[in-house]
Amino acid sequence: MGSPSFFSPYRHGFVRVATAVPKVKLADPAANAQAILALAREAHAAGVAVVVFPELGLTGYTIDDLLQQEALLDAVEAAIATLTEASAGLAPMIVVGGPLRDGGRLYNTAIVIQGGKVLGVVPKSFLPNYREFYERRWFTPGAGVTGKTLTLAGQVVPFGTDILFRGEGVAPFTVGVEICEDVWTPTPPSTAQALAGAEILLNLSASNITIGKSETRRLLCASQSSRMIAAYVYSAAGAGESSTDLAWDGHVDIHEMGALLAETPRFSTGPAWTFADVDVQRIRQERMRVGSFGDAMALTPPSTPFQIVPFAFDAPEGDLALARPIERFPFTPSDPAKLRENCYEAYNIQVQGLARRLEASGLKALVIGISGGLDSTQALLVAAKAMDQLGLPRTNILAYTLPGFATSDRTKSNAWALMRAMGVTAAELDIRPAATQMLKDLDHPFGRGEAVYDVTFENVQAGLRTDYLFRLANHNAALVVGTGDLSELALGWCTYGVGDHMSHYNPNCGAAKTLIQHLIRFVAHSGDVDAETTALLEDILATEISPELVPGEAVQATESFVGPYALQDFNLYYMTRYGMAPSKIAFLAWSAWHDADQGGWPVGLPDNARRAYDLPEIKRWLELFLKRFFANQFKRSAVPNGPKISSGGALSPRGDWRMPSDVTAEAWLAELHANVAI
């Protein structure tokens, strides 16, 4: 087969996995095999690589002593032969549950089938025999069963708990299998499987339902996927199981590194299934980054080495829509409850950081420049709250608006209104006379009356503002509060040294521009400010982002220079947090942004911000991001202190990000141009 297209998840290290619950027919393996095949064919049509079915799905879990009937066990083996033969025309690896005999013992097993072959059989290690469970009456525990074989469907196949299954092809992956109770134990077999290299962990389960049990199962699956830095794919028994003494909800879900990717509604009366694209490449990257995972691998080698069973998986050709949620704004989730919790934590991280720094300094006052824009607004909100927390008057915040040659009436008015609303000591310091004198001293054309607005003209203003703030801090025994954010630092959109690059402490340094907007919105609607201040904050949010350094009729729009912050924050997150290749970032950005009508948007985002980006736009702005990111490391190597806020990372050389200042972006740009052809 050919290679998947750029618009296929398989091209970018994703593997499509599915979990399915057929409607079981008790003690009828032949009928159950057909029900399994029907869903397996649907999975094949959807481009799935791996599909897992429930525990004892070939017979039903609730048949009790019938599990030891010869007629039934013979029928199970015949059903496995049927599935094996039919699998020759199907791409996915099919994992089904059934009772199998070996040497006078009966095991509860997972049978792995693909491409006309039984790849192997994994027995259940731990058998529950408490409360409603009675498995030791029928089965032998699989723990310790290694290096054995079984004959199934006319084939001699590996049998034991020491087997991993490796799919080979354009998107290679390794699968480990465990059964129900195994994950409820202190030492799940999937732990050893993950440490041996399995990125995708499957659980065939029966698991009856009682009140609250579904949440416990989700926690187990999420926790195991998080601790093992893996995907965890779970399928539980559902429709058709006996209701003599128990009930069954058909709980299926897919987790990756703690995050829920997909699940189906429970208590279906018929078959149900779902699938998601697991980012195997991201799992490998994260394992490489988390050194303690590698340490655990070295310290806890399996008592018996795993045997790897390879199989060929040919990913489907052509386009394939990504089947997993991708947030447009990775720093600001679209789920309202999560966004509210994130903003609460981010805001209080900023407040706690600034309060602690002021307390440690022994000083009692803060100096801050207020522009009427987003960043200084958020920094002032944080400063006011920090003063409240320390029991100091807000008048100890010395806030200045420092108008320059292009300061608009709107932003200046908003700056004054904000300072008054916060109850701080407010003042205005016009930098234009000093800037004009400096430009004259530099023999700059503007100093001679010429309308030349170059980088020197801009940075004289930016530098003077910060210079004044530092001298005001000296004069008033205060600390200068920084206002620049994470996005500006990533793009180098800050004046180095004595400019907005520098401060005594910067509470915004770990907050991306897209997060800053929601933090302001969070405070505006928190109930901590009055209606007039809420309206003011909303007006600040609606103001176009601009440095306001160049005079003229048109607004000097920042995003026309550095790109849309929505896309650049997306690029920043996936490059620095996960080390993804530019082409993969472009694919993810296209998946998230190409259709404005698909997917969720964060609460409060204005309608005019809910737009789409096509692949040429995404590529153009990603190229600019790479160039600016690599060219401006020298600024990040000399940033002031400030707190890390998001799991997406920070750019301090003392924290998340270390990089030489003179490295080139050529390898990243070459990868982008080679693999995103438009």
Side-chain angles (χ1 to χ4, degrees):
M1 297 178 70
S3 175
S5 80
F6 174 84
F7 297 101
S8 169
Y10 285 105
R11 174 78 172 270
H12 303 283
F14 292 91
V15 173
R16 183 159 293 183
V17 300
T19 173
V21 183
K23 185 168 185 177
V24 72
K25 190 172 183 181
L26 292 177
D28 192 344
N32 292 328
Q34 293 306 314
I36 288 168
L37 276 175
L39 291 176
R41 291 185 178 109
E42 290 186 40
H44 170 84
V48 167
V50 178
V51 55
V52 61
F53 293 88
E55 178 183 14
L56 295 175
L58 285 172
T59 60
Y61 183 82
T62 51
I63 63 172
D64 297 336
D65 288 351
L66 296 179
L67 285 163
Q68 294 185 331
Q69 291 286 310
E70 288 292 322
L72 180 84
L73 296 173
D74 289 343
V76 167
E77 294 186 12
I80 292 170
T82 299
L83 289 171
T84 303
E85 182 179 359
S87 73
L90 302 174
M93 183 179 94
I94 303 165
V95 186
V96 299
L100 288 177
R101 296 163 288 192
D102 179 61
R105 295 181 174 183
L106 186 65
Y107 293 91
N108 181 345
T109 72
I111 303 101
V112 181
I113 301 167
Q114 197 268 346
K117 297 179 180 178
V118 178
L119 300 180
V121 176
V122 179
K124 186 174 184 176
S125 291
F126 300 99
L127 302 179
N129 220 57
Y130 53 88
R131 293 196 292 273
E132 62 264 48
F133 301 109
Y134 207 11
E135 288 191 31
R136 281 182 179 265
R137 178 180 176 92
W138 310 297
F139 297 117
T140 297
V145 176
T146 58
K148 302 186 73 175
T149 60
L150 288 177
T151 300
L152 284 176
Q155 306 166 26
V156 177
V157 303
F159 172 52
T161 58
D162 58 339
I163 309 171
L164 298 179
F165 304 90
R166 180 164 296 162
E168 298 177 340
V170 67
F173 57 94
T174 304
V175 177
V177 181
E178 64 185 4
I179 302 173
C180 199
E181 182 76 6
D182 290 347
V183 76
W184 294 75
T185 66
T187 55
S190 57
T191 298
Q193 294 164 3
L195 292 174
E199 303 101 359
I200 300 170
L201 307 172
L202 310 180
N203 187 307
L204 300 80
S205 183
S207 194
N208 64 300
I209 182 62
T210 56
I211 294 172
K213 190 174 182 180
S214 64
E215 183 58 27
T216 303
R217 290 187 300 218
R218 287 191 190 94
L219 287 171
L220 280 170
C221 294
S223 173
Q224 191 66 350
S225 73
S226 179
R227 291 172 58 248
M228 294 303 105
I229 311 179
Y232 201 87
V233 189
Y234 183 88
S235 177
E241 289 288 355
S242 173
S243 61
T244 301
D245 292 301
L246 302 172
W248 311 86
D249 63 341
H251 183 162
V252 300
D253 58 33
I254 301 169
H255 285 83
E256 178 185 302
M257 289 168 52
L260 179 66
L261 298 186
E263 64 179 342
T264 62
R266 297 183 296 125
F267 300 105
S268 171
T269 58
W273 76 290
T274 189
F275 61 86
D277 292 328
V278 168
D279 194 345
V280 172
Q281 199 173 72
R282 181 175 82 123
I283 289 168
R284 294 196 191 107
Q285 275 275 353
E286 191 69 359
R287 288 179 175 181
M288 179 180 68
R289 289 165 180 264
V290 180
S292 54
F293 186 87
D295 294 342
M297 293 171 63
L299 290 172
T300 56
S303 55
T304 302
F306 282 91
Q307 53 180 314
I308 306 297
V309 178
F311 65 96
F313 173 73
D314 293 322
E317 296 183 28
D319 298 351
L320 197 64
L322 183 66
R324 66 183 280 134
I326 298 291
E327 292 280 7
R328 290 181 174 91
F329 298 93
F331 294 100
T332 56
S334 56
D335 177 79
K338 287 183 179 178
L339 179 58
R340 188 165 52 251
E341 178 65 17
N342 283 13
C343 287
Y344 166 79
E345 289 190 327
Y347 179 53
N348 282 283
I349 288 169
Q350 291 180 290
V351 170
Q352 190 271 346
L354 180 58
R356 175 65 187 125
R357 176 50 55 92
L358 184 59
E359 183 182 51
S361 73
L363 302 175
K364 303 295 184 183
L366 298 172
V367 166
I368 185 170
I370 305 300
S371 68
L374 295 174
D375 293 341
S376 64
T377 295
Q378 176 60 18
L380 183 57
L381 294 174
V382 168
K385 193 71 172 179
M387 285 302 198
D388 295 346
Q389 195 175 91
L390 291 171
L392 295 171
R394 290 189 179 185
T395 51
N396 283 20
I397 300 173
L398 311 178
Y400 295 85
T401 181
L402 301 106
F405 297 115
T407 300
S408 68
D409 291 339
R410 180 180 182 180
T411 56
K412 181 178 174 181
S413 173
N414 280 344
W416 267 108
L418 181 66
M419 292 188 292
R420 292 191 184 104
M422 291 295 103
V424 302
T425 301
E428 182 173 316
L429 203 164
D430 190 342
I431 67 167
R432 287 173 294 183
T436 301
Q437 183 61 51
M438 181 175 284
L439 289 165
K440 287 180 180 178
D441 293 343
L442 295 174
D443 194 26
H444 188 276
F446 184 85
R448 299 191 298 270
E450 299 177 33
V452 175
Y453 308 131
D454 57 8
V455 68
T456 303
F457 175 82
E458 293 186 14
N459 283 350
V460 161
Q461 296 174 79
L464 275 171
R465 285 185 173 122
T466 305
D467 199 3
Y468 272 120
L469 293 174
F470 271 103
R471 302 298 73 80
L472 287 164
N474 294 154
H475 188 55
N476 293 280
L479 291 182
V480 175
V481 178
T483 59
D485 62 50
L486 183 69
S487 307
E488 292 177 341
L489 197 57
L491 294 161
W493 194 249
C494 50
T495 303
Y496 183 74
V498 184
D500 54 335
H501 168 259
M502 194 48 61
S503 63
H504 286 126
Y505 191 82
N506 184 3
N508 283 350
C509 69
K513 185 76 78 176
T514 49
L515 176 58
I516 291 278
Q517 297 173 47
H518 288 280
L519 290 173
I520 295 172
R521 198 169 282 116
F522 170 77
V523 174
H525 298 281
S526 65
D528 289 345
V529 298
D530 59 26
E532 186 177 350
T533 304
T534 296
L536 170 63
L537 294 176
E538 289 290 355
D539 190 65
I540 291 171
L541 285 165
T543 305
E544 183 164 15
I545 300 169
S546 171
E548 293 193 326
L549 294 171
V550 175
E553 294 183 4
V555 174
Q556 188 185 10
T558 296
E559 290 179 300
S560 67
F561 295 95
V562 300
Y565 279 114
L567 285 182
Q568 301 300 39
D569 283 355
F570 190 98
N571 297 333
L572 169 65
Y573 180 87
Y574 284 103
M575 179 181 170
T576 59
R577 174 63 182 86
Y578 293 114
M580 290 182 177
S583 63
K584 183 168 183 174
I585 297 172
F587 170 72
L588 289 174
W590 179 85
S591 298
W593 283 97
H594 77 279
D595 187 346
D597 295 327
Q598 297 295 317
W601 294 89
V603 174
L605 198 72
D607 290 340
N608 62 4
R610 302 186 182 207
R611 58 153 297 182
Y613 293 97
D614 60 23
L615 189 58
E617 288 179 288
I618 288 167
K619 182 179 180 181
R620 175 163 63 94
W621 292 123
L622 177 52
E623 180 178 3
L624 180 67
F625 173 84
L626 293 170
K627 290 177 178 177
R628 294 194 66 98
F629 185 83
F630 278 83
N632 285 283
Q633 175 62 24
F634 72 98
K635 295 181 180 180
R636 297 187 290 272
S637 294
V639 293
N641 292 172
K644 176 179 176 179
I645 292 173
S646 164
S647 63
L651 292 174
S652 168
R654 300 170 297 275
D656 268 12
W657 191 253
R658 294 163 181 82
M659 167 182 165
S661 297
D662 45 12
V663 72
T664 174
E666 290 309 311
W668 285 259
L669 293 168
E671 196 281 338
L672 176 67
H673 292 302
N675 295 313
V676 186
I678 51 173

